[in-house]
Amino acid sequence: MSRFWSEAVRGLSPYVPGEQPRHPRLVKLNTNESPYGPSPGVLEALAAIDGDSLRRYPDPDAVALRGCIAAQFGLAAEQVFVGNGSDEVLAHAFLGLLKHPRPLAFPEISYSFYPVWCGLYGIEAVRVPLDDALAIDVDAFPTDCGGIILPNPNAPTGRLLELAGIERLVADHADCVVVVDEAYIDFGGRSAAALVGRYPNLLVVQTLSKSRALAGLRVGFALGDPALIEGLVRVKDCFNSYPLDVIAQRAAIAAFEDRAWFEDSCRRVIATRERVTAALEALGFSVLPSAANFVFARPPAGAAAPLFAALREEGIIVRYFDRPRINEYLRISIGTEEEMDRLLAAVEAWCTAAGAAAG
Ligand SMILES: *Cc1c(COP(=O)(O)O)cnc(C)c1O
């Protein structure tokens, strides 16, 4: 606290990102980064950046990148917005499309940045309960909300809502904007991008941070009706006209151009996820069905907090949320086969020790 802080800053409760610790043999499974890295084409695009292109301002409208994304999804460039990570795209959506006199609805358990933006922009929130299996219930959303936002697959549960469920939600709330945050959709779901042309109230947000292995580049985008996109552009141009630098724009295009690399790395992550799920279940965990690049797993006796601490001692970092309904679970990102073998060995040793202590 400082006497120099504005009233607005004094009242903020900022988002706390997953830690980026240093450890010689660290196995980092806490922020859902890709274990495989971006396409070699991305590195070539980076190497080709010259001084002259850095001397100038980047294209404020990112025309080439937006055209590339539009082509990927069979949309027009006017239906695409790009930002500095999907966090920035989402922040602009909160201010530009979701702040209304009626409250914003989102699942009680979802991305923990949503309440932070509500605090920043003074948006009233309603938390929509998940069902007994921690799945999103489309019918539980209030009919009279001012906007809806949900991650699909949900975070941190990994549970997927089928496209038909998303479509029903969007159709049933035609008077407000529904934002579908698809950070993990490439790991097992079908994107609501296919519905964008039919629903003027649907905004689909994706990121290059997870399935395209570019969390360090900071590129996210939104797909929606041109009127929604224009709303986002208005906010952007009141905040930062150049959210994506020259490097990010070129490297992102290269990432989209290598479809084979992208599909192959998603396939590998999915295969590892299925193997890890089976191995954890064999150790007595209950694991929620995941369509993401992580699993949400409850250790035997719900001993998530002690297991989190024990793994940390071994240099294996996962994520633990000390919150009602999910404080007996760990969120474990899917790493390489070798990283997951180290995790499973540590988990098995802990289970054996815990079983011996209990027995
Ligand atoms: C990782 C994540 C994001 C943010 O991604 P960036 O593009 O890196 O800002 C947004 N939403 C959810 C649900 C995420 O898990």
Side-chain angles (χ1 to χ4, degrees), residues 15 38 105 135 250:
Y15 176 72
R250 293 217 206 134

Side-chain angles (χ1 to χ4, degrees), residues 8-51:
V9 165
R10 270 181 246 151
L12 294 179
S13 17
Y15 176 72
V16 183
E19 55 186 331
Q20 301 284 2
R22 302 193 186 282
H23 181 284
R25 277 186 73 227
L26 184 72
V27 177
K28 191 174 174 303
L29 305 175
N30 66 332
T31 52
N32 304 335
E33 289 145 333
S34 163
Y36 298 122
S39 152
V42 169
L43 302 180
E44 282 163 32
L46 294 178
I49 303 281
D50 61 7

Side-chain angles (χ1 to χ4, degrees), residues 204-254:
V204 176
V205 177
Q206 291 196 8
T207 175
L208 276 69
S209 296
K210 315 279 167 54
S211 57
R212 291 180 206 269
L214 287 169
L217 193 70
R218 311 306 303 134
V219 181
F221 59 96
L223 310 170
D225 187 84
L228 299 187
I229 300 303
E230 196 188 333
L232 297 176
V233 171
R234 288 172 70 96
V235 177
K236 163 200 167 270
D237 285 335
C238 292
F239 184 74
N240 178 4
S241 313
Y242 306 102
L244 286 193
D245 57 54
V246 169
I247 300 168
Q249 293 188 32
R250 293 217 206 134
I253 290 171

Side-chain angles (χ1 to χ4, degrees), residues 74-97:
L75 296 169
E78 297 70 40
Q79 294 168 298
V80 181
F81 178 83
V82 293
N84 191 257
S86 61
D87 282 344
E88 185 185 75
V89 176
L90 291 165
H92 290 350
F94 270 68
L95 182 62
L97 304 173

Side-chain angles (χ1 to χ4, degrees), residues 60-313:
D61 304 316
V63 169
L65 174 56
R66 285 172 46 235
C68 166
I69 295 172
Q72 293 279 327
F73 290 92
L75 296 169
E78 297 70 40
Q79 294 168 298
V80 181
F81 178 83
V82 293
N84 191 257
S86 61
D87 282 344
E88 185 185 75
V89 176
L90 291 165
H92 290 350
F94 270 68
L95 182 62
L97 304 173
L98 299 175
K99 180 176 160 71
H100 293 290
R102 283 173 295 150
L104 171 65
F106 52 82
E108 59 162 338
I109 294 159
S110 71
Y111 190 31
S112 48
F113 222 137
Y114 300 160
V116 173
W117 286 312
C118 286
L120 177 63
Y121 294 127
I123 301 169
E124 195 195 327
V126 229
R127 313 282 190 125
V128 181
L130 300 185
D131 72 12
D132 291 341
L134 296 178
I136 290 175
D137 175 6
V138 168
D139 297 315
F141 283 83
T143 49
D144 58 346
C145 47
I148 291 175
I149 184 162
L150 73 165
N152 193 43
N154 196 8
T157 64
R159 296 214 56 164
L160 179 75
L161 191 56
E162 294 299 336
L163 193 53
I166 295 286
E167 179 160 15
R168 195 149 60 79
L169 189 67
V170 174
D172 286 353
H173 295 83
D175 292 331
C176 74
V177 171
V178 178
V179 176
V180 186
D181 178 358
E182 292 189 337
Y184 303 105
I185 196 71
D186 297 322
F187 300 104
R190 276 165 67 210
S191 174
L195 306 176
V196 156
R198 277 188 279 143
Y199 295 95
N201 63 322
L202 168 64
L203 191 79
V204 176
V205 177
Q206 291 196 8
T207 175
L208 276 69
S209 296
K210 315 279 167 54
S211 57
R212 291 180 206 269
L214 287 169
L217 193 70
R218 311 306 303 134
V219 181
F221 59 96
L223 310 170
D225 187 84
L228 299 187
I229 300 303
E230 196 188 333
L232 297 176
V233 171
R234 288 172 70 96
V235 177
K236 163 200 167 270
D237 285 335
C238 292
F239 184 74
N240 178 4
S241 313
Y242 306 102
L244 286 193
D245 57 54
V246 169
I247 300 168
Q249 293 188 32
R250 293 217 206 134
I253 290 171
F256 280 109
E257 281 171 348
D258 194 347
R259 203 161 176 95
W261 178 277
F262 158 72
E263 286 174 355
D264 187 57
S265 49
C266 290
R267 252 196 308 273
R268 290 166 75 188
V269 166
I270 292 166
T272 307
R273 179 186 73 207
E274 297 312 302
R275 176 175 82 88
V276 168
T277 299
L280 289 173
E281 284 174 346
L283 291 168
F285 283 62
S286 57
V287 185
L288 295 188
S290 171
N293 64 343
F294 56 83
V295 290
F296 204 52
R298 184 182 178 278
L307 176 55
F308 172 81
L311 291 173
R312 211 164 191 292
E313 289 293 306

